[in-house]
């Protein structure tokens, strides 16, 4: 059988074509850059730890950069990944805006980028997909629990997360949507503790000095770390968190279950720290030529004190 020159070229190309991703498209053997927000909360630390472990388990060479809650440091990390000519990038953006220019540079370098956790306002054509929970749903879930717990009658203090982050904004949107259905539910004071434990404690210490706490029915916190800081401040002031003042938050970190076991907290909405597997799969699938949806949701449910001991044990063993 005679082959034309063109046919021979095609056959040779097919023989020597090595797809960047392996057959399972799980990212094995790839070099991936990970620009993390920082280490501001126990959930963030758990997310980092789970991502490093997942990369090791898959044989992925992960270049990790802690953004120290600083967008400029994250942007510098993305530029260093381009210089490294990594196979893929995972970005956990600290805030929503200011990413268009660097995402265009990453795209021009031909490097697939996956957004994880918080969102960006940049056009979705600039990233492969986003892996995250639904922050609006988390806020709705927290408010729905509080409404049924208080029969729709509650004056609330809100501890907001990082200003400019989609997590803080969307949790607030979801929570406010639900309490708007109850005329006697009202947020009387809202302040950002930047998702930090000491942020929640500082805010609560100052509120205890300035407000009549007997009017306060609940603290709604955008994450467990700020809730735990607020609980510390209330206990030091002789108040009774978990009883006189209900505590509802998000993340489901081990310490919030410990607080529930101590009678100091009442409800938390789970945020899974396990987002690396779908993110690595997305990069592998993209490099294998597959098209992905622009959002890969990570579900979370509501936890109450009745399962706190079991959940605490599960998360600390
Ligand atoms: C939300 C995530 C938040 C966590 C906080 O997905 O971005 O950031 O709820 C963390 O604990 O600081």
């Amino acid at each position: 059988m005679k082959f034309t020159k063109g046919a021979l070229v095609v056959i040779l190309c097919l023989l020597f074509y090595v797809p960047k991703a392996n057959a399972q498209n799980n990212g094995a053997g790839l070099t991936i850059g990970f620009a993390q927000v920082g280490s501001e909360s126990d959930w963030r630390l758990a997310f980092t730890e789970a991502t490093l472990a997942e990369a090791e388990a898959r044989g992925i060479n992960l270049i990790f950069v802690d953004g120290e809650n600083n967008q400029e440091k994250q942007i510098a990390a993305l530029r260093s990944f381009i210089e490294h000519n990594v196979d893929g990038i995972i970005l956990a953006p600290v805030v929503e805006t200011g990413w268009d220019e660097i995402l265009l540079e990453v795209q021009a370098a031909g490097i697939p980028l996956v957004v994880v956790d918080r969102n960006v306002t940049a056009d979705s054509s600039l990233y492969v997909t986003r892996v995250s929970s639904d922050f609006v749903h988390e806020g709705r879930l927290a408010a729905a629990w509080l409404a049924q717990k208080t029969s729709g009658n509650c004056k609330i203090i809100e501890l907001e997360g990082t200003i400019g982050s989609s997590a803080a904004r969307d949790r607030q949107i979801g929570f406010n949507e639900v309490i708007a259905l109850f005329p006697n539910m009202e947020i009387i004071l809202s302040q950002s503790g930047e998702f930090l434990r000491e942020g929640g404690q500082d805010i609560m210490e100052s509120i205890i000095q300035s407000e009549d706490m007997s009017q306060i029915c609940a603290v709604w916190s955008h994450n467990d770390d700020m809730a735990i800081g607020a609980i510390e401040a209330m206990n030091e002031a002789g108040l009774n968190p978990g009883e006189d003042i209900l505590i509802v938050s998000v993340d489901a970190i081990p310490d919030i279950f410990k607080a529930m076991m101590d009678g100091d907290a009442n409800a938390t909405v789970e945020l899974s720290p396990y987002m690396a597997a779908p993110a690595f799969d997305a990069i592998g699938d993209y490099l294998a030529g597959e098209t992905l949806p622009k959002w890969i949701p990570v579900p979370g449910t509501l936890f109450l004190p009745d399962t706190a001991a079991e959940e605490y044990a599960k998360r600390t063993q």
Side-chain angles (χ1 to χ4, degrees), residues 37 40-44 117-118 133 135 138 162 167 171 194-195 222-225 250-251 271 275:
V37 165
E40 73 284 357
S41 71
D42 283 7
W43 178 85
R44 184 68 57 190
D117 184 35
R118 302 177 191 176
S133 65
F135 301 138
E138 292 162 347
T162 299
R171 284 173 183 166
E194 294 293 325
F195 284 128
H222 291 184
N223 84 331
D224 293 339
D225 284 78
V250 185
D251 280 356
L271 172 64
M275 298 188 193

Side-chain angles (χ1 to χ4, degrees), residues 44-210:
R44 184 68 57 190
L45 294 172
F47 172 27
T48 294
E49 191 180 324
T51 301
L52 297 177
E54 186 66 28
E56 188 176 354
R58 292 180 179 224
I60 288 172
N61 171 29
L62 192 75
I63 306 174
F64 173 78
V65 175
D66 178 339
E68 297 173 13
N69 271 332
N70 180 311
Q71 182 175 34
E72 289 315 309
K73 286 189 193 293
Q74 289 196 293
I75 291 172
L78 296 186
R79 288 209 167 97
S80 73
F81 297 155
I82 293 173
E83 283 158 32
H84 265 87
N85 190 29
V86 296
D87 298 303
I89 292 174
I90 291 176
L91 167 65
V94 57
V95 291
E96 267 196 311
T97 56
W99 299 100
D100 297 69
E101 184 186 335
I102 186 61
L103 294 186
L104 278 164
E105 290 176 31
V106 169
Q107 192 170 70
I111 300 173
L113 181 138
V114 169
V115 175
V116 290
D117 184 35
R118 302 177 191 176
N119 206 350
V120 295
T121 52
D123 188 86
S124 63
S125 62
L126 292 176
Y127 52 84
V128 169
T129 186
R130 173 175 174 235
V131 177
S132 79
S133 65
D134 179 339
F135 301 138
V136 174
H137 173 72
E138 292 162 347
R140 288 175 182 149
L141 211 45
W145 172 81
L146 188 59
Q148 63 80 33
K149 187 76 178 175
T150 61
S151 306
N153 193 340
C154 192
K155 293 208 180 318
I156 305 154
I157 288 172
E158 179 182 34
L159 302 177
E160 291 179 78
T162 299
I163 300 296
S165 71
S166 58
R169 190 207 51 215
D170 288 352
R171 284 173 183 166
Q172 189 171 65
I173 288 171
F175 191 90
N176 289 346
E177 261 179 19
V178 170
I179 67 168
L181 305 172
F182 299 89
N184 295 325
M185 291 188 82
E186 179 195 359
I187 292 177
I188 60 162
L189 195 147
S190 186
Q191 199 174 333
S192 173
E194 294 293 325
F195 284 128
L196 298 167
R197 202 165 289 204
E198 58 269 26
Q201 183 163 2
D202 292 347
I203 293 170
M204 190 48 68
E205 283 170 354
S206 118
I207 290 172
I208 289 167
Q209 297 299 321
S210 60

